[in-house]
Amino acid sequence: METGFRKWIIVATIITSTIIELIDTTIVNVSINTMSGNLGASLEDTAWVITSYAIANVIIIPMTSFLAEKIGRKQYYIGSIILFTLASAMCGFSNNLWELVAFRFFQGIGGGALLSTSQSILFETFPAKERATASGIFSLGIIIGPSIGPVLGGFIVDNLSWQWIFYVNIPIGILAALLSYIYLKPTKKSDDGRSIDWPGIFLLAVGVGALQVVLERGETDDWFSATYIIVLTILSVVSLAILVWWELRIPFPVINLRVLKSTTLSISAIMTFVLGFGLFSAVFVFPLYAQRIIGYSAFQTGTMLLPGTLMAAIISPFLGKMLQSGLRPQYLIILGFGMSAIFGYMMSGSNLETGDAYFFIPLVCRGLGAALLIVPLTALAVSELKPSEIPQGAALNNMMRQMGGSFGIALINTYIAHREAANRTALITHVTASDPHTMARQEIYIRNFMAHGSTYLRAVQQSLGALENTVVRQSFLMSYMDAFLLLAILNACCIPLVMITMKKRAKVKAGKIALPDAH
């Protein structure tokens, strides 16, 4: 526990580290085209820059509690910051794509550790009666990072070069490492003599890594039409099945799956998965919709996300205090899923004529919904666990959020592609020579093109192209609307799950909302 100036220096350091880690999950997305051209690689190959970071993140998150015990939390945290910073520098210095992909993997290893270890350090900094407030403060990084990534990336790419996406981490990382070294309390590594669960670590890395590759690359390579996707799917299923068997068999596993005997934790993990699905999918779908369909720039799109993010940042600390005062987390979770469902439903009703003003309310609902879910779900997940079980329970909950994000982006991307084909088929049946509306629109196009100097035959050809462009644009519009509606349905379906946990009347006590080693 810390007080005064030292306490708030630690808070600022921890939140900054969390934000830069999560910014790097989305900041690269808007610079893929630029990287592809500069490095002389295809878009499909360049996408591995995103994939490698996501794989490393999901592999390391469930192991952070174990590694922090073995190495010592302060040493592990500072080492992770240094690894993240050095890898960021090397990403900027990379001369070819595969160098960049490799250094992004190491950046993800350091970054994934920052996310989880930051949480435990923050909780240790606050006294027990203020730990719900600490949970609210920590949620700021989770909400702000993914949301400002696209706008920051768009600004950097438009005004500097893609390398600066990575260079900006260097001074922040150096400062965070120095402050951590000066202000964090020393911690000793565990000397209990427990053997390292190397088989568990290997199975986790192989199973989760293979699964992440399948999710990240499946849509690009037409899923099971690609042999390597089939092989990795089988490898993932077999590895994860053996991992479950092995971790339940040994006394000191790297992931203690026995904590899932808690019904509240299991249900919370499912809801956290949906939270990750919605949180990352919304940040993925809305920029695509705004840029591809409406024509906004990356920077404009990012600025539209800021009001909701700022609202979430304002209320997050107060949510922790509300939980600390005795408010049951289920009430906030129901409201959070409700507001997230409203976001999806309202977005599904937008169209090509929709302006900025319409998007303001649903995007604010998205931000508030995320804030109302992150803090209470963390509290609810560990509310029935023993103190010794809470670190692993919280780590599993964090992993489920990241996995939900990976599943969400992969499945939403696939869903949009499939709906686009179905919507195009439905629309094209009405675009015929016998349809009076189609013929009337074509006549308008022909007259317009002729008025601008085209011959009649040339104008007819141009009108057919214009009709095709209209069909394509409308097909994609309808597909994005379907995707937003799917997000609304998924969030609404989680409300009955919350009701189940309410029947158990799980009480979240002051010392159990956020615990010293929670990851």
Side-chain angles (χ1 to χ4, degrees), residues 325-337:
S325 67
L327 179 69
R328 295 182 67 191
Q330 288 94 331
Y331 295 133
L332 296 178
I333 293 170
I334 290 173
L335 183 59
F337 278 123

Side-chain angles (χ1 to χ4, degrees), residues 404-439:
S406 297
F407 270 89
I409 292 173
L411 296 180
I412 284 291
N413 199 22
T414 301
Y415 183 72
I416 289 172
H418 288 178
R419 290 305 303 160
E420 192 278 329
N423 290 329
R424 176 181 173 82
T425 300
L427 289 175
I428 207 71
T429 57
H430 299 287
V431 184
T432 64
S434 60
D435 180 61
H437 297 291
T438 301
M439 299 311 297

Side-chain angles (χ1 to χ4, degrees), residues 132 135 264 268 271 319-320 322-337 371-384 498-499 501-502 505-509 512-513:
S135 185
T264 300
S268 297
M271 292 188 290
L319 295 177
M322 292 168 67
L323 290 171
Q324 198 71 58
S325 67
L327 179 69
R328 295 182 67 191
Q330 288 94 331
Y331 295 133
L332 296 178
I333 293 170
I334 290 173
L335 183 59
F337 278 123
L372 287 164
L373 287 170
I374 292 171
V375 181
L377 276 174
T378 301
L380 183 63
V382 301
S383 62
E384 289 188 345
V498 188
M499 302 294 187
T501 66
M502 292 186 74
R505 301 198 63 82
K507 295 181 180 179
V508 183
K509 298 180 181 179
K512 295 184 99 178
I513 287 176

Side-chain angles (χ1 to χ4, degrees), residues 189-460:
K189 62 181 181 179
S190 173
D191 56 359
D192 56 10
R194 289 188 296 172
S195 59
I196 297 176
D197 180 17
W198 290 113
I201 293 173
F202 174 78
L203 290 167
L204 175 68
V206 172
V208 173
L211 178 60
Q212 278 291 114
V213 174
V214 170
L215 292 173
E216 297 277 345
R217 304 293 298 169
E219 173 59 27
T220 302
D221 294 327
D222 198 20
W223 293 103
F224 297 109
S225 297
T227 303
Y228 86 95
I229 293 291
I230 297 174
V231 172
L232 289 179
T233 300
I234 295 171
L235 181 63
S236 176
V237 171
V238 172
S239 297
L240 292 177
I242 297 174
L243 174 68
V244 172
W245 170 80
W246 175 257
E247 298 297 272
L248 293 175
R249 178 176 174 269
I250 64 173
F252 302 113
V254 68
I255 305 176
N256 183 13
L257 298 175
R258 297 178 183 89
V259 297
L260 291 173
K261 290 187 293 185
S262 166
T263 305
T264 300
L265 173 60
S266 299
I267 294 175
S268 297
I270 295 171
M271 292 188 290
T272 301
F273 182 90
V274 176
L275 164 63
F277 193 111
L279 184 66
F280 287 94
S281 296
V283 176
F284 172 77
V285 174
F286 178 75
L288 288 178
Y289 169 61
Q291 293 173 55
R292 291 182 178 180
I293 306 300
I294 303 178
Y296 290 161
S297 68
F299 184 72
Q300 286 176 310
T301 304
T303 56
M304 292 179 68
L305 292 169
L306 286 181
T309 303
L310 291 175
M311 290 290 290
I314 291 170
I315 71 165
S316 290
F318 296 101
L319 295 177
K321 291 182 178 179
M322 292 168 67
L323 290 171
Q324 198 71 58
S325 67
L327 179 69
R328 295 182 67 191
Q330 288 94 331
Y331 295 133
L332 296 178
I333 293 170
I334 290 173
L335 183 59
F337 278 123
M339 297 196 75
S340 298
I342 290 172
F343 158 75
Y345 180 76
M346 290 188 68
M347 289 300 302
S348 71
S350 58
N351 54 54
L352 297 176
E353 305 302 320
T354 301
D356 294 2
Y358 180 87
F359 294 129
F360 180 81
I361 293 177
L363 288 174
V364 167
C365 286
R366 184 202 75 85
L368 294 177
L372 287 164
L373 287 170
I374 292 171
V375 181
L377 276 174
T378 301
L380 183 63
V382 301
S383 62
E384 289 188 345
L385 300 181
K386 300 174 183 177
S388 61
E389 295 174 335
I390 291 172
Q392 191 63 70
L396 288 172
N397 209 46
N398 264 351
M399 185 181 74
M400 291 299 288
R401 183 178 58 250
Q402 297 299 107
M403 289 297 294
S406 297
F407 270 89
I409 292 173
L411 296 180
I412 284 291
N413 199 22
T414 301
Y415 183 72
I416 289 172
H418 288 178
R419 290 305 303 160
E420 192 278 329
N423 290 329
R424 176 181 173 82
T425 300
L427 289 175
I428 207 71
T429 57
H430 299 287
V431 184
T432 64
S434 60
D435 180 61
H437 297 291
T438 301
M439 299 311 297
R441 182 179 288 269
Q442 186 177 17
E443 283 298 320
I444 293 172
Y445 286 146
I446 290 173
R447 287 197 297 269
N448 181 61
F449 288 128
M450 290 181 68
H452 286 80
S454 294
T455 63
Y456 177 76
L457 290 177
R458 176 63 177 164
V460 170

Side-chain angles (χ1 to χ4, degrees), residues 2 39 57 68 84-85 92 97 103 115 126 136 151 158 217 246 262 337 346 349 383 393 429 471 481-482 485 515:
E2 301 288 354
L39 295 172
N57 254 215
F84 180 84
T85 306
L97 175 64
F103 288 123
L115 179 64
F126 283 76
V151 62
D158 289 345
R217 304 293 298 169
W246 175 257
S262 166
F337 278 123
M346 290 188 68
S383 62
T429 57
V471 169
M481 299 305 97
D482 292 340
L485 186 59
L515 301 151

